[in-house]
Amino acid sequence: NITIHCKSKDDDLGIHVIPSGQSYEWGFRVNFFGTTLFFCGFTTKKGRGVYDIFDVDRDIRRCPGSTCIWGVRDDGPLGKARVLITNNMPSNVTIHCKSKDDDLGIHVIPTTQSYEWGFRVNFWETTLFFCGFTTKKGGGVYDIFNAMRDEHRCVDGTCIWHVRDDG
């Protein structure tokens, strides 16, 4: 079970206990000033936290048809992910990967070797990592992990990329 307590500046939705596999929902209208914010406190056997569930500036475009859907998982509201990049080039590949919050530094991947890292997807599922690649044949910058795109593309939370001659 999850205990949830959601509020806005003007509304307290009360405390609700949600059994596993069930959901809780409510409706509202964005206020005239466009400053609507709902936040919820979650308590599970594994801990607790408070998160902004609806922030009009962030979510007005994210929620299709004015419906926002959020999930809470066993490992918390922040899912785990991994990225694995393997060099299939005949020479070294230099990469430099970053997100908005993290700079993973510069790494040289020898032929047939890999570089990998793990992280937690943010609550809003907007986590983005991009990497600059440099090889003897050229280079480029690519989105390596985009939470919205890769949620169903990656296998068991691991996104696998291969650096090859043809891209």
Side-chain angles (χ1 to χ4, degrees), residues 155-166:
V155 179
D156 294 327
T158 300
C159 297
I160 299 172
W161 294 95
H162 297 276
V163 182
R164 302 186 312 228
D165 278 340
D166 60 352

Side-chain angles (χ1 to χ4, degrees), residues 14-165:
I15 298 172
H16 302 273
V17 177
I18 306 170
S20 180
Q22 299 296 310
S23 62
Y24 171 71
E25 62 182 74
W26 74 92
F28 61 92
R29 292 186 189 275
V30 173
N31 68 27
F32 175 78
F33 303 104
T35 58
T36 301
L37 171 68
F38 275 91
F39 57 95
C40 295
F42 296 90
T43 304
T44 70
K45 289 180 182 178
K46 294 191 176 191
R48 67 168 104 192
V50 177
Y51 303 93
D52 290 348
I53 295 300
F54 182 85
D55 179 329
V56 70
D57 291 333
R58 178 193 72 214
D59 296 321
I60 199 72
R61 289 175 283 299
R62 179 193 176 278
C63 302
S66 299
T67 300
C68 295
I69 299 172
W70 303 104
V72 179
R73 298 179 279 262
D74 282 343
D75 61 354
L78 310 176
K80 295 178 183 176
R82 295 195 66 72
V83 171
L84 174 70
I85 301 171
T86 300
N87 178 7
N88 292 337
M89 300 282 287
S91 60
N92 291 346
V93 173
T94 302
I95 65 170
H96 188 182
C97 299
K98 299 179 179 183
S99 73
K100 178 180 143 192
D101 301 314
D102 298 298
D103 185 335
L104 304 180
I106 297 171
H107 299 273
V108 177
I109 308 172
T111 300
T112 71
Q113 299 297 306
S114 300
Y115 172 71
E116 67 180 302
W117 73 96
F119 52 93
R120 288 193 176 271
V121 175
N122 69 26
F123 185 76
W124 306 277
E125 297 182 342
T126 58
T127 301
L128 171 69
F129 274 93
F130 57 94
C131 297
F133 291 82
T134 306
T135 71
K136 285 186 175 182
K137 295 197 172 200
V141 177
Y142 303 93
D143 288 350
I144 293 300
F145 182 85
N146 180 327
M148 298 294 255
R149 176 194 71 198
D150 295 330
E151 178 181 3
H152 300 291
R153 186 188 78 74
C154 302
V155 179
D156 294 327
T158 300
C159 297
I160 299 172
W161 294 95
H162 297 276
V163 182
R164 302 186 312 228
D165 278 340

Side-chain angles (χ1 to χ4, degrees), residues 1-16:
N1 289 346
I2 297 170
T3 302
I4 183 173
H5 187 185
C6 298
K7 298 179 180 183
S8 73
K9 178 182 168 198
D10 301 318
D11 297 303
D12 184 335
L13 303 179
I15 298 172
H16 302 273

